[in-house]
Amino acid sequence: MDWITSTKIPVGKTAKLGFDWLQNNAEWFFDTLSVALERLINAILWVLQTPSPFVIIAAFVILTWVLQRSWKTCLLVLVGFLFILNQGYWEETTQSLTLVLSACVVCMAVGVPIGIAMAHRPRLYAYTRPVLDLMQTLPTFVYLIPAIVFFGIGLVPGLMATVIFVLPAPIRLTHLGVSSTPTALLEAAEAFGATPRQKLWKVELPYALPQIMTGLNQTIMLSLSMVVIAALVGADGLGVPVVRALNSVNTALGFESGFIIVVVAIILDRMLRLKGDNE
């Protein structure tokens, strides 16, 4: 067996050389990206933490009514947030929501255009599908290493690790929605003289909207699943008490903070669930 390991393919060394080259030659890019993401995070955090918690809760309830038109869902959101407030996790919850919302902004802004481009270019999707598979199957802890190298400690590296892990979801679902647009609809649009841009905005995107919204829902759920891992690189939020409970073997703190994460996941899922799924 020694003869096999003696000719080991230098995967790790190659990756290290690539990271070192990026760190030495693209430092300006990562610094600029870090500043932009930090401003986005600070803006969302200011919106969530500056007003009274009851104002934010009322805003979420109103948004739920606009999206769902269901008093039961609004009541669920209200009770969920009041429970979080009662348990004393409001600040941690707003920090985790900031990470989730920031990841949604970045992932949807990047993922939807890429998904549309792949739907219009099947060969591009065939080439990039292995990369998407790698992004989803690579252990999430591995993402923390380059995140720390390029962005240091804090919410920004946690956000970048989350984006890399979550990004394939909106790309795949947008691609699925746009590429599954019935040929009859596209031919009818062409018959009425629609340009490619008009077909995209008036036919393909409206038809793909349920899939895109599912991609948004998956982005939020997957981002929320990363809050504990993001806490390992200094990101504040609900992951911090979970890590603290793990280090001190504190069962009460671990169950309490973990249950709060579940409550937040239920709230966000019910807020953004398609009406057909609620019936």
Side-chain angles (χ1 to χ4, degrees):
M1 297 297 293
D2 293 339
W3 64 273
I4 297 180
T5 57
S6 63
T7 57
K8 180 179 179 180
I9 300 175
V11 176
K13 291 182 179 179
T14 303
K16 184 179 184 302
L17 290 175
F19 288 138
D20 291 341
W21 185 89
L22 288 173
Q23 191 175 13
N24 294 328
N25 296 277
E27 184 178 1
W28 62 270
F29 171 76
F30 293 111
D31 288 343
T32 303
L33 182 61
S34 178
V35 171
L37 293 177
E38 190 171 359
R39 289 181 178 177
L40 174 64
I41 291 171
N42 290 336
I44 297 176
L45 196 60
W46 182 86
V47 171
L48 292 177
Q49 290 189 343
T50 301
S52 168
F54 296 103
V55 174
I56 301 299
I57 293 174
F60 272 95
V61 172
I62 293 172
L63 179 60
T64 303
W65 174 256
V66 171
L67 295 175
Q68 300 296 337
R69 298 291 179 177
S70 170
W71 67 268
K72 294 180 180 179
T73 307
C74 293
L75 181 61
L76 176 66
V77 172
L78 176 62
V79 172
F81 275 120
L82 290 178
F83 174 76
I84 293 171
L85 201 59
N86 171 263
Q87 294 297 302
Y89 283 88
W90 180 255
E91 183 177 357
E92 291 84 356
T93 300
T94 56
Q95 291 167 344
S96 292
L97 284 175
T98 298
L99 180 64
V100 171
L101 294 176
S102 301
C104 286
V105 171
V106 176
C107 288
M108 298 306 289
V110 175
V112 172
I114 293 178
I116 293 172
M118 289 182 177
H120 292 160
R121 299 170 180 83
R123 185 174 296 180
L124 175 62
Y125 179 68
Y127 289 152
T128 56
R129 185 166 56 183
V131 178
L132 298 178
D133 293 338
L134 178 65
M135 292 169 66
Q136 287 187 305
T137 56
L138 197 67
T140 51
F141 287 97
V142 177
Y143 297 139
L144 301 181
I145 301 172
I148 294 174
V149 171
F150 296 138
F151 301 102
I153 300 295
L155 273 173
V156 173
L159 173 59
M160 288 307 303
T162 301
V163 167
I164 296 173
F165 175 68
V166 175
L167 189 58
I171 292 177
R172 289 183 184 275
L173 286 167
T174 301
H175 167 267
L176 176 63
V178 175
S179 61
S180 61
T181 304
T183 306
L185 290 179
L186 297 176
E187 291 177 349
E190 291 177 357
F192 282 98
T195 63
R197 177 174 296 183
Q198 289 173 331
K199 285 196 301 181
L200 173 63
W201 286 100
K202 296 185 178 181
V203 179
E204 292 176 330
L205 286 182
Y207 186 85
L209 185 60
Q211 293 291 344
I212 295 175
M213 290 301 297
T214 302
L216 176 61
N217 185 284
Q218 289 297 307
T219 298
I220 292 175
M221 295 298 106
L222 292 173
S223 299
L224 196 57
S225 70
M226 288 287 290
V227 296
V228 177
I229 297 175
L232 298 177
V233 293
D236 296 326
L238 293 170
V240 174
V242 174
V243 174
R244 191 183 303 125
L246 180 63
N247 292 333
S248 60
V249 197
N250 189 330
T251 307
L253 178 61
F255 183 82
E256 187 179 80
S257 53
F259 191 71
I260 295 297
I261 295 176
V262 173
V263 171
V264 174
I266 293 174
I267 290 174
L268 296 178
D269 177 66
R270 292 296 177 177
M271 284 182 61
L272 296 172
R273 181 174 293 188
L274 297 178
K275 292 183 179 181
D277 296 335
N278 288 329
E279 297 175 355

